[in-house]
């Protein structure tokens, strides 16, 4: 056990090119997924928060339930869509980083939408009446309230990134864990563990945790600065 | 465009939370300048402002503004607690101009003019949350004023302010009224009512129990409800000073 940890650190010390490129792919895929998920999920959640319409309760229930979508099931669905005989098979995306981005986007969009909905609804309780009095449309109000809640929304982005970068099921199914092409931190860890190369698996695990911590620290720093300015 | 006066509150009723909050309220506001709305807690003053603003639909009756279609009347409501977005002072004022779809340079000019009017021009770039309570209230007033409303609805705009800040707000409101904006002001501060209002509407349990010139109503309320509220609020000494 101790040996494993010691050799794991030794491996990090060397940080070979393979590990770096795997980490870079993980980052790239998850950052893209968070961007796409945010572009869809944040406006969607904000709109659901301000629009009063029939069926709203059902939409919220679905969003909340989909927050906990099992990654591997999302992977399976995307696999079926992208497989050669699937409806989107012609695009030839299966086992590419694009497929992994699509799967992770689907995984985290409901999460981002549901959390955004809650935050924007809280902001709406404070500001909604004032904004309606200014005769702003629902879309305008949603945008302003999301802007008002931007520091809390930063946490939503972090949560989504954390979920995306640490999931293994979806990227494994649609990416295929192809060395040098679709191998991410998580799929590599699971592979090396199975192969019995525990030091390498552990080293990759440390790097993954370091990435998550670094992203969080950077975001917290930014958020702290911004909040100090705007209260 | 024709005048918004008289503002007719015609048998208004509103139910909220299963209870009648406005209950057959009738009044005709035909004077320009400032109308004060007074009455005990829970009388329905804030709800009345929301109904007149159009935020809360009346369950019965109607609000009429002269011969004007209701939608065409530019109204602005300043809430008791200024609701500000976490953004700069100028951006908060600019929000009110979004529906007007103006060019960005015109927005900038009008925001600047509104801020100058309330003495916040030099704070335009500051975060709104950093302003003091009185400054935030002035900002809320600037946000209301920037749209050049024909009707300005104020809900206890000085409730938490010190005497100096209160006076500043009163001067601003009086100036807007002189410039032609019809003002309806809810206030528990009868000294303030005496200073800036022309007529007074007394609400009691969702009804208007008395309406008249400010001097007359404060000095000589005719209904028992108005007398109870005014005498309870205003000790005899300062009451004498008002009349
Ligand atoms: N959204 C709402 N839902 C349910 N009841 C409400 C709502 N808003 C107001 N009420 C009720 O309507 C009544 C009148 O409220 P309103 O806020 O108009 O009183 P007010 O005259 O402004 O009192 P105050 O002087 O305390 O501000 C109160 O009993 C209040 O509880
Ligand atoms: Mg009130």
């Amino acid at each position: 056990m101790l040996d494993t940890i010691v050799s794991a650190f030794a491996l990090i010390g060397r940080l070979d090119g393979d590990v770096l490129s795997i980490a870079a792919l993980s980052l790239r895929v998850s950052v893209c997924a968070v961007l796409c998920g945010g572009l869809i999920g944040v406006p969607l959640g904000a709109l659901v928060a301000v629009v009063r319409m029939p069926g709203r309760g059902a939409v919220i229930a679905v969003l909340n339930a989909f927050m906990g979508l099992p990654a591997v099931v999302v992977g399976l669905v995307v696999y079926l869509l992208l497989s050669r005989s699937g409806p989107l098979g012609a695009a030839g995306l299966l086992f590419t980083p694009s497929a992994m981005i699509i799967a992770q986007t689907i995984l985290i969009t409901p999460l981002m939408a549901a959390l955004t909905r809650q935050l924007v609804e809280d902001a709406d309780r404070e500001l909604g009446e004032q904004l309606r009095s200014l005769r702003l449309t629902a879309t305008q109000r949603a945008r302003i309230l999301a802007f008002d809640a931007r520091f809390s929304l930063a946490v939503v982005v972090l949560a989504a990134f954390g979920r995306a970068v640490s999931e293994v099921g979806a990227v494994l199914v649609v990416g295929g864990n192809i060395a040098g092409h679709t191998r991410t931190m998580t799929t590599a860890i699971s592979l090396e563990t199975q192969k019995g190369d525990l030091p390498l698996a552990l080293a990759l695990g440390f790097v993954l945790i370091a990435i998550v911590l670094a992203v969080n620290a950077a975001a917290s720093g930014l958020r702290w600065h911004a909040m100090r300015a705007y209260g | 465009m024709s005048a918004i006066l008289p503002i007719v509150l015609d048998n208004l009723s509103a139910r909220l939370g299963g209870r009648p909050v406005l209950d057959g309220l009738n009044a005709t506001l035909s004077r320009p300048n400032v109308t004060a709305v007074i009455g005990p807690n829970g009388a329905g003053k804030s709800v009345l402002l929301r109904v007149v603003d159009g935020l809360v639909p009346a369950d019965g009756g109607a609000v009429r503004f002269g011969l004007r279609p209701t939608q065409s009347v530019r109204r602005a409501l300043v809430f008791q607690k200024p609701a500000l977005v976490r953004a700069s002072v100028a951006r908060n004022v600019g929000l009110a101009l979004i529906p007007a779809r103006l060019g960005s340079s015109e927005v900038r000019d009008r925001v600047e003019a509104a801020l100058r009017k309330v003495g916040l021009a030099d704070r335009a770039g500051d975060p709104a949350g950093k302003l003091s309570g009185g400054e935030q209230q002035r900002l809320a007033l600037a946000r209301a004023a920037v749209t050049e409303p024909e009707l300005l609805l104020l809900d206890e705009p000085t409730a938490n302010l010190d005497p100096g800040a209160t006076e500043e707000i009163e001067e601003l409101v009086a100036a807007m009224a002189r410039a032609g904006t019809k003002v309806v002001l809810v206030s528990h501060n009868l000294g303030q009512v005496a200073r800036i209002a022309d007529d007074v509407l007394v609400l009691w349990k969702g009804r208007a129990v008395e309406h008249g010139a400010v001097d007359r109503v404060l000095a000589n309320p005719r209904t028992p409800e108005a007398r109870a509220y005014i005498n309870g609020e205003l000790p005899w000494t300062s009451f004498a000073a008002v009349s």
Side-chain angles (χ1 to χ4, degrees):
Chain A
M1 172 76 186
L2 205 61
D3 281 357
T4 311
I5 296 177
V6 170
S7 15
F9 273 107
L11 279 175
I12 297 175
R14 285 196 274 111
L15 259 192
D16 56 3
D18 279 357
V19 173
L20 280 182
S21 68
I22 291 174
L25 180 67
S26 270
L27 261 181
R28 196 181 105 212
V29 167
S30 296
V31 165
C32 288
V34 168
L35 285 179
C36 298
L39 282 175
I40 306 166
V42 170
L44 178 67
L47 268 180
V48 171
V50 299
V51 174
R52 296 285 170 270
M53 53 174 185
R56 178 170 177 273
V59 172
I60 292 172
V62 168
L63 285 182
N64 287 341
F66 277 24
M67 270 203 285
L69 278 182
V72 67
V73 174
V74 172
L76 178 61
V77 170
V78 174
Y79 181 97
L80 292 174
L81 290 174
L82 297 182
S83 67
R84 204 173 300 274
S85 54
L88 305 174
L93 289 176
L94 199 58
F95 304 132
T96 65
S98 301
M100 302 196 287
I101 293 171
I102 293 171
Q104 289 198 344
T105 299
I106 293 173
L107 186 68
I108 62 177
T109 297
L111 173 83
M112 298 186 89
L115 296 178
T116 300
R117 198 270 310 166
Q118 186 62 55
L119 290 170
V120 169
E121 214 169 282
D122 292 345
D124 188 58
R125 249 188 293 286
E126 295 285 308
L127 294 170
E129 210 171 30
Q130 173 71 63
L131 298 182
R132 273 184 285 127
S133 171
L134 295 176
R135 324 282 178 222
L136 298 168
T137 64
T139 316
Q140 291 165 338
R141 281 181 278 130
R143 223 184 51 221
I144 293 165
L145 291 170
F147 179 76
D148 185 67
R150 61 196 178 280
F151 305 130
S152 318
L153 285 176
V155 179
V156 174
V157 171
L158 285 180
F161 176 76
R163 173 122 210 255
V165 82
S166 62
E167 70 85 21
V168 58
V171 281
L172 184 62
V173 172
V174 304
N177 194 23
I178 302 165
H181 184 44
T182 58
R183 181 159 297 169
T184 66
M185 299 299 290
T186 54
T187 56
I189 289 170
S190 105
L191 179 70
E192 297 306 334
T193 307
Q194 277 167 12
K195 278 174 29 187
D197 193 345
L198 295 182
L200 182 53
L202 203 55
L204 290 167
F206 286 141
V207 173
L208 180 56
I209 290 173
I211 289 173
V212 171
L213 287 180
V215 168
N216 270 275
S220 310
L222 281 177
R223 181 165 182 261
W224 184 78
H225 270 290
M227 273 185 76
R228 226 177 31 150
Y230 279 98
Chain B
M1 267 188 287
S2 64
I4 61 167
L5 296 175
I7 299 171
V8 179
L9 311 175
D10 183 4
N11 203 22
L12 278 183
S13 59
R15 297 183 68 85
L16 285 171
R19 291 186 316 110
V21 175
L22 299 180
D23 187 14
L25 187 153
N26 285 295
T28 300
L29 313 181
S30 39
R31 304 178 192 215
N33 301 336
V34 182
T35 297
V37 177
I38 63 175
N41 295 134
K45 304 179 297 293
S46 297
V47 172
L48 174 63
L49 289 194
R50 284 171 168 77
V51 170
V52 173
D53 187 59
L55 268 181
V56 170
D59 291 308
V63 183
R64 280 191 292 277
F65 302 91
L67 298 173
R68 292 271 298 282
T70 303
Q71 288 311 318
S72 76
V73 178
R74 282 198 312 281
R75 290 158 285 180
L77 171 54
V78 176
F79 294 82
Q80 178 173 337
K81 196 166 137 253
L84 303 172
V85 175
R86 270 179 268 260
S88 71
V89 167
R91 178 89 182 102
N92 268 278
V93 176
L95 290 183
L97 292 175
I98 292 175
R101 298 167 174 283
L102 305 170
S104 61
S105 70
E106 180 162 10
V107 168
R108 204 172 331 109
D109 292 348
R110 285 176 67 165
V111 167
E112 200 191 313
L115 285 176
R116 212 177 311 113
K117 217 183 286 179
V118 301
L120 290 175
D122 55 331
R123 309 292 302 272
D126 291 1
K130 289 272 161 80
L131 300 182
S132 74
E135 288 165 343
Q136 292 191 2
Q137 200 58 261
R138 277 190 279 159
L139 170 54
L141 210 54
R143 179 171 56 190
V146 77
T147 59
E148 296 174 357
E150 299 164 276
L151 174 61
L152 179 62
L153 305 161
L154 303 172
D155 199 350
E156 304 190 44
T158 61
N160 300 310
L161 303 187
D162 69 37
T166 299
E167 202 184 313
E168 286 174 12
I169 300 273
E170 288 176 6
E171 276 168 14
L172 284 168
V173 171
M176 286 184 69
R178 277 196 303 275
T181 304
K182 171 67 190 166
V183 177
V184 176
L185 164 80
V186 169
S187 181
H188 285 293
N189 178 342
L190 297 188
Q192 172 172 80
V193 169
R195 282 190 294 277
I196 63 175
D198 302 278
D199 56 331
V200 183
L201 183 65
V202 185
L203 292 204
W204 188 276
K205 294 189 175 163
R207 312 171 72 94
V209 291
E210 189 156 343
H211 183 203
V214 65
D215 298 343
R216 204 277 297 154
V217 174
L218 290 186
N220 187 19
R222 287 179 188 147
T223 57
E225 295 89 349
R227 205 175 304 133
Y229 175 75
I230 289 167
N231 292 348
E233 282 294 315
L234 197 65
W236 271 104
T237 46
S238 47
F239 178 39
V242 164
S243 50

